């Protein structure tokens, strides 16, 4: 839209009026016909952004004129006059060519009309300029009350231009100074007021660039994934054609949902950008082309508009929450097994992890059957109403078809560690890791930036000998399993030593190579895997003994080298019974529920070590012998496995700990000296 064209009538401005939202329209008829009257007075709504504008007593006429638009109109007028072979007609009699321009009346007039004009006493002191003078736009600032007199003063009290008469009459006692003397100060104030808008506009522009980059990245990912998926479909067309179509629909859906959210985000910040730009453009232009008096007149309303914009502006709202995280993982073993075609994955759309995968099972008659579980929620065990209601078998839920062991690429890898073992996090979402080879504890950000560390080798307080598991309580206090010192040490959230308990032995509060630990939010107790004593010891957060359960053996509730433990949302405790190649399930007070160890094709767990349970009660177990991670439902039904022995990303060497971190799973890849996040 042109700077001199009204967006309502689509014609050149007639008396352009500036609204507080910095949109400009013709006074008549565009704004006049929008005026409504109610009990609060007159008002109108901006035709573009619907901003409600209360009108002064004088109505639309009292609105601030757009100095910039008026200046452009005058420039255009001068250009037209200079191009015409004949002079402009007199605007009074409209019969002959104009020779003069009255700056007070703002009219072009011929010689005869000028003579009559000057005969009137009220007009005799009006200033005249030649009709073809290019400087006739330098208007005189007339007093509002005495329009025939030039305003020479600016009343600070009323923020208005006044003449000498007014200083001794209506504005007597007010603070007023010559316009030329106060103009520099007020001009500087206006310029200073633009700084937050300039800074905000810069942030908005960067956000829009980031949005465009994200759109491109997502579209590029979408194109790449579609190509890869089509290649896989061509290779397995005879059995997987239908699933290929579904996967393409999935990636398209995820991309469209993300792009839709980005589009909404862009529309929102574009509105802010446009408002800031209009304000900046108008104010800067007004300062450039307006007279001192005009600028002073528009200052108050302009500052009010600037204040409204800056008050509404929230820089954090411009930050883009969406991520270009669409991913496609083909299954390299799909040709052999024809059981899992692949996965379209993105971290989140509305803050929740989303995945879409499909498992295939070959029946006895070689017919292919498929079940999609991309949107199935994992069921959780009901919390018993009383201990008497506990039974020896978990409730039955519909089975999930298992998938073949496969490769899964981590979304992030944190390296430069020395034998990382235990992993947990505090309420500030900081990661806390035992760096066992260096006998220290690290506190770091979620992306791996180290914040603090404490500990060194030894047997004194705040010293360790091969620290392994760790956890935090409700107050973010840190509990570290000091394995080879046979004790548990307690620290403040900042790493200050608070106490220790334990010594070698098999009595209460004695340990034999303790390794794993977890905290129960309900009971506020600590559960320690006292592995060489083949039991779980339960401690209070004050490091006092509460209870213990388990003994050496392979029967129900008996343990051989328990390594790690984790609670689900229903307060069931899952313990990796490493020596018995199984996971056992207990209540919070140690009563046995059941055990499981099954996998696909008749396989069983081999040396289960680390364990964690995510928010949907899906269980993740690491296998020490196979260097992989195996997934189970809350009822112990096998779902899938991924990983094997190796040093590349997605492969493992000795998984010391698994930790459910919000929507991700963190694996401490101990012998590869790194954390892998999935």
């Amino acid at each position: 839209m042109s700077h001199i064209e009204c967006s309502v009538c689509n014609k050149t401005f007639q008396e352009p009026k500036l609204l507080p939202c910095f949109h400009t329209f013709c006074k008549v008829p565009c704004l006049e016909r929008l005026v409504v009257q109610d009990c609060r007075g007159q008002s109108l709504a901006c035709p573009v952004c619907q901003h409600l504008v209360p009108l002064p007593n004088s109505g639309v006429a009292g609105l601030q004129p757009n100095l910039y638009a008026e200046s452009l109109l005058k420039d255009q007028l001068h250009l037209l006059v200079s191009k015409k072979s004949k002079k402009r007609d007199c605007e009074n009699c409209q019969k002959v060519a104009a020779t003069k321009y009255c700056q007070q009346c703002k009219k072009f007039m011929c010689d005869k009309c000028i003579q009559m004009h000057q005969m009137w006493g009220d007009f005799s002191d009006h200033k005249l300029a030649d009709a073809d003078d290019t400087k006739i736009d330098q208007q005189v600032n007339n007093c509002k009350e005495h329009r025939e007199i030039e305003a020479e003063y600016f009343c600070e009290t009323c923020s208005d231009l006044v003449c000498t008469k007014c200083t001794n009459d209506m504005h007597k006692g007010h603070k007023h100074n010559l316009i030329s003397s106060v103009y520099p100060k007020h001009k500087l104030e206006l310029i200073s007021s633009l700084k937050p808008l300039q800074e905000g506009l810069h942030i908005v522009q960067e956000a829009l660039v980031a949005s465009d980059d994200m759109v491109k990245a997502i579209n590029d990912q979408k194109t790449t994934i579609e190509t890869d998926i089509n290649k896989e479909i061509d290779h397995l067309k005879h059995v997987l054609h239908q699933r290929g179509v579904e996967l393409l629909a999935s990636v398209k859906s995820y991309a469209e949902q993300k792009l839709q959210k980005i589009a909404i985000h862009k529309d929102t910040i574009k509105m802010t950008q446009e408002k800031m730009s209009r304000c900046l453009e108008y104010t800067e232009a007004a300062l450039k082309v307006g007279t001192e008096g005009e600028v002073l007149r528009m200052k108050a309303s302009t500052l009010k508009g600037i204040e409204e914009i800056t008050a509404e502006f929230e820089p954090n709202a411009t930050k883009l929450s969406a991520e270009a995280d669409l991913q496609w993982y083909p299954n390299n073993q799909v040709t052999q097994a024809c059981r899992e075609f692949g996965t379209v994955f993105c971290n989140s759309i509305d803050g929740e992890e989303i995945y879409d995968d499909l498992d295939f099972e070959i029946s006895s008659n070689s017919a292919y059957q498929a079940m999609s579980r991309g949107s199935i929620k994992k069921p959780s065990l009901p919390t018993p109403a009383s201990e008497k209601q506990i039974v020896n078998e978990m409730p039955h839920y519909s089975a999930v078809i298992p998938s073949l062991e496969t490769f899964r690429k981590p979304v992030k890898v944190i390296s430069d560690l020395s034998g990382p073992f235990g992993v947990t996090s505090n309420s500030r979402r900081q990661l806390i890791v035992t760096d066992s080879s260096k006998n220290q504890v690290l506190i770091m950000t979620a992306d791996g930036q180290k914040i603090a560390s404490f500990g060194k080798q030894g047997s004194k307080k705040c010293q360790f000998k091969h620290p392994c598991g760790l956890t935090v309580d409700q107050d973010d206090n840190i509990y570290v399993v000091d394995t080879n010192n046979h004790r548990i040490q307690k620290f403040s959230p900042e790493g200050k030593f608070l106490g220790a308990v334990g010594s070698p032995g098999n009595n209460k509060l004695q340990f034999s190579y303790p390794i794993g630990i977890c905290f129960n939010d309900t009971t506020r107790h600590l559960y320690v895997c006292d592995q060489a004593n083949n039991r779980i010891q339960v401690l209070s957060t004050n490091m006092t003994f509460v209870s213990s359960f388990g003994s050496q053996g392979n029967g129900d509730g008996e343990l051989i080298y328990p390594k790690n433990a984790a609670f689900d949302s229903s307060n069931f405790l899952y313990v990796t019974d490493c020596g018995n190649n199984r996971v056992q399930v207990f209540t919070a007070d140690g009563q046995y529920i059941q055990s499981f160890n099954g996998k696909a094709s008749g396989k069983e767990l081999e040396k289960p070590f680390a364990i964690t349970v995510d928010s949907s009660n899906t269980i993740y177990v690491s296998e020490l012998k196979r260097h992989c991670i195996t997934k189970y439902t809350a009822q112990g039904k096998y779902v899938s496995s991924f990983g094997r022995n190796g040093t590349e990303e997605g492969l493992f060497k000795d998984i010391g700990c698994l930790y459910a971190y919000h929507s991700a799973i963190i694996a401490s890849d101990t012998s590869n000296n790194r954390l892998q996040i999935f």
Side-chain angles (χ1 to χ4, degrees):
M1 182 63 67
S2 168
H3 288 298
I4 60 172
E5 185 177 300
C6 176
S7 61
V8 174
C9 63
N10 295 323
K11 297 180 181 178
T12 302
F13 280 128
Q14 297 294 325
E15 294 187 70
K17 292 293 185 178
L18 181 72
L19 301 185
C21 57
F22 293 94
H23 284 120
T24 302
F25 307 96
C26 299
K27 173 190 170 185
V28 180
C30 300
L31 288 181
E32 290 284 6
R33 67 186 182 189
L34 297 176
V35 177
V36 295
Q37 179 76 41
D38 58 23
C39 59
R40 294 170 293 183
Q42 290 185 327
S43 63
L44 60 83
C46 172
V48 174
C49 66
Q50 302 304 310
H51 180 80
L52 186 63
V53 181
L55 295 176
N57 294 334
S58 54
V60 174
L63 292 174
Q64 173 71 36
N66 188 324
L67 302 180
Y68 181 50
E70 287 183 343
S71 175
L72 292 177
L73 288 170
K74 291 169 186 174
D75 289 343
Q76 186 185 58
L77 174 62
H78 297 158
L79 183 63
L80 290 173
V81 170
S82 63
K83 288 183 178 180
K84 288 183 178 180
S85 58
K86 63 178 183 178
K87 294 185 177 180
R88 185 182 179 90
D89 289 341
C90 174
E91 292 181 287
N92 191 45
C93 67
Q94 299 181 348
K95 294 180 179 179
V96 295
T99 58
K100 298 291 182 182
Y101 177 78
C102 178
Q103 294 185 346
Q104 276 77 15
C105 298
K106 301 180 183 179
K107 282 187 176 183
F108 290 92
M109 291 182 280
C110 62
D111 289 336
K112 184 175 180 180
C113 291
I114 285 293
Q115 290 177 0
M116 296 178 61
H117 184 70
Q118 291 181 316
M119 290 175 61
W120 290 85
D122 291 341
F123 303 149
S124 60
D125 60 345
H126 283 195
K127 293 184 179 181
L128 303 175
D130 291 336
D132 56 357
D133 187 352
T134 59
K135 296 183 179 181
I136 61 176
D137 59 318
Q138 302 297 323
Q139 299 177 15
V140 174
N141 297 309
N142 292 338
C143 176
K144 281 186 177 180
E145 297 298 325
H146 309 94
R147 296 185 178 275
E148 73 283 358
I149 302 177
E150 181 179 354
E152 299 176 347
Y153 296 89
F154 178 66
C155 178
E156 301 275 4
T157 306
C158 303
S159 191
D160 202 359
L161 304 181
V162 296
C163 63
T164 304
K165 285 185 179 180
C166 289
T167 60
N168 297 315
D169 187 8
M170 297 177 62
H171 296 266
K172 186 175 182 180
H174 291 187
K175 182 180 178 181
H176 38 68
N177 294 288
L178 287 171
I179 291 174
S180 59
S181 66
V182 299
Y183 175 74
K185 180 189 76 170
H186 290 280
K187 178 181 178 181
L188 184 61
E189 287 181 5
L190 272 173
I191 293 173
S192 299
S193 70
L194 296 179
K195 185 176 180 180
L197 290 180
Q198 293 166 339
E199 293 174 348
L201 185 61
H202 178 69
I203 294 173
V204 168
Q205 289 170 338
E206 286 186 339
L208 287 172
V209 170
S211 297
D212 291 337
D213 291 343
M214 190 67 68
V215 169
K216 183 180 182 302
I218 291 174
N219 280 322
D220 288 346
Q221 290 175 339
K222 175 176 175 284
T223 300
T224 301
I225 292 172
E226 287 175 337
T227 301
D228 291 343
I229 290 173
N230 278 312
K231 288 179 180 179
E232 293 294 327
I233 292 172
D234 290 339
H235 184 59
L236 300 169
K237 193 180 236 181
H238 59 290
V239 290
L240 298 174
H241 175 71
Q242 183 58 40
R243 182 51 180 167
V245 173
E246 293 175 1
L247 281 170
L248 287 171
S250 294
V251 69
K252 181 179 179 181
S253 173
Y254 296 152
E256 287 178 349
Q257 290 179 66
K258 281 181 170 288
L259 294 175
Q260 182 181 10
K261 289 185 176 297
I262 294 173
I264 295 172
H265 177 75
K266 285 182 64 177
D267 289 343
T268 301
I269 58 179
K270 272 184 177 180
M271 291 181 64
T272 303
Q273 179 197 32
E274 291 172 359
K275 187 179 291 187
M276 288 180 171
S277 297
R278 290 194 305 272
C279 179
L280 280 169
E281 184 179 287
Y282 166 72
T283 308
E284 290 172 346
L287 289 170
K288 182 177 180 181
V289 303
T291 65
E292 295 175 350
E294 289 170 335
V295 172
L296 291 172
R297 274 178 174 168
M298 55 75 79
K299 177 196 168 187
S301 60
T302 303
L303 283 178
K304 182 179 179 182
I306 292 172
E307 289 173 359
E308 290 180 358
I309 294 175
T310 53
E312 294 172 357
F313 177 60
E314 174 53 54
N316 289 334
T318 65
K319 294 180 181 178
L320 191 64
S321 60
E323 295 181 1
D325 53 13
L326 293 172
Q327 299 174 53
W328 153 249
Y329 297 120
N331 186 339
N332 296 327
Q333 297 173 317
V334 70
T335 304
Q336 177 184 353
C338 288
R339 297 182 65 175
E340 183 173 344
F341 179 50
T343 301
V344 173
F345 177 82
C346 64
N347 282 342
S348 63
I349 291 177
D350 283 315
E352 294 185 0
E353 180 180 344
I354 295 176
Y355 62 91
D356 185 15
D357 54 7
L358 183 71
D359 297 326
F360 287 84
E361 185 176 76
I362 302 176
S363 65
S364 57
N365 59 4
S366 298
Y368 291 94
Q369 297 177 339
M371 177 184 292
S372 172
R373 64 175 203 282
S375 61
I376 294 177
K377 293 289 184 181
K378 282 71 175 179
S380 59
L381 284 172
T383 303
S386 69
E387 300 303 331
K388 293 182 179 180
Q389 292 178 319
I390 297 174
V391 295
N392 291 328
E393 184 176 350
M394 290 186 174
H396 174 73
Y397 294 88
S398 58
V400 178
I401 296 177
S403 67
L404 192 68
E405 294 184 4
T406 184
F407 172 78
R408 192 169 176 185
K409 185 176 176 63
V411 296
K412 184 171 183 59
V413 175
I414 300 174
S415 304
D416 300 325
L417 302 173
S418 299
F421 201 99
V423 182
T424 189
S425 66
N426 56 26
S427 60
R428 290 171 287 185
R429 295 200 171 191
Q430 296 169 338
L431 295 180
I432 308 170
V433 182
T434 51
D435 214 18
S436 59
S437 296
K438 288 187 176 180
N439 293 292
Q440 64 178 355
V441 176
L442 303 176
I443 301 175
M444 61 180 67
T445 62
D447 60 0
Q449 296 184 14
K450 295 177 183 176
I451 299 171
S453 66
F454 57 90
K456 62 180 181 179
Q457 185 172 358
S459 300
K460 297 180 180 179
K461 66 180 183 180
C462 203
Q463 294 181 348
F464 305 104
K465 284 186 179 180
H466 195 68
C468 288
L470 80 169
T471 190
V472 297
D473 63 17
Q474 73 278 4
D475 299 318
D476 280 347
N477 293 314
I478 305 168
Y479 301 82
V480 182
V481 178
D482 190 4
T483 299
N484 289 354
N485 280 324
H486 309 282
R487 65 182 180 180
I488 312 298
Q489 294 197 65
K490 179 179 180 180
F491 300 88
S492 71
E494 295 75 29
K496 180 181 177 182
F497 178 79
L498 298 178
V501 65
S503 60
N506 57 12
N507 293 322
K508 294 179 180 179
L509 298 180
Q510 289 185 324
F511 302 95
S512 183
Y513 300 99
I515 184 167
I517 188 171
C518 65
F519 177 73
N520 185 292
D521 292 323
T522 303
T523 64
R524 302 291 176 90
H525 291 158
L526 302 164
Y527 292 74
V528 183
C529 293
D530 190 5
Q531 63 169 339
N533 283 326
N534 303 298
R535 65 183 179 183
I536 305 296
Q537 285 206 65
V538 185
L539 311 180
S540 71
T541 53
N542 293 325
M543 312 287 276
T544 59
F545 179 80
V546 176
S547 65
S548 68
F549 56 90
S551 59
Q552 184 174 352
N554 56 14
D556 293 345
E558 295 179 336
L559 304 164
I560 297 179
Y561 284 97
K563 297 294 185 181
N564 278 282
F567 279 96
D568 67 9
S569 62
S570 299
N571 258 358
F572 286 96
L573 179 68
Y574 297 79
V575 179
T576 52
D577 187 5
C578 185
N580 287 317
N581 295 315
R582 63 185 178 182
V583 174
Q584 294 205 64
V585 189
F586 299 88
T587 63
D589 65 352
Q591 293 193 47
Y592 171 80
I593 300 296
Q594 78 155 28
S595 63
F596 57 87
N597 66 349
K599 294 183 66 174
S601 304
K603 293 181 180 179
E604 295 183 349
L605 286 171
E606 292 195 58
K607 303 300 179 186
F609 197 94
I611 190 166
T612 191
V613 185
D614 67 14
S615 58
S616 63
N617 283 340
T618 298
I619 305 162
Y620 296 80
V621 181
S622 74
E623 295 184 62
L624 189 61
K625 188 171 181 178
R626 291 195 180 108
H627 305 276
C628 68
I629 297 173
T630 301
K631 292 170 61 176
Y632 290 91
T633 66
Q635 297 72 44
K637 302 297 183 182
Y638 173 75
V639 177
S640 64
S641 298
F642 63 92
R644 56 183 170 81
N645 189 21
T647 58
E648 297 179 3
E649 292 185 3
L651 307 182
F652 307 98
K653 274 193 175 182
D654 304 324
I655 303 171
C657 175
L658 293 174
Y659 179 65
Y661 180 73
H662 304 287
S663 61
I665 299 296
I666 301 177
S668 60
D669 191 4
T670 304
S671 295
N672 281 326
N673 299 309
R674 65 190 178 188
L675 301 179
Q676 297 198 62
I677 304 176
F678 299 89

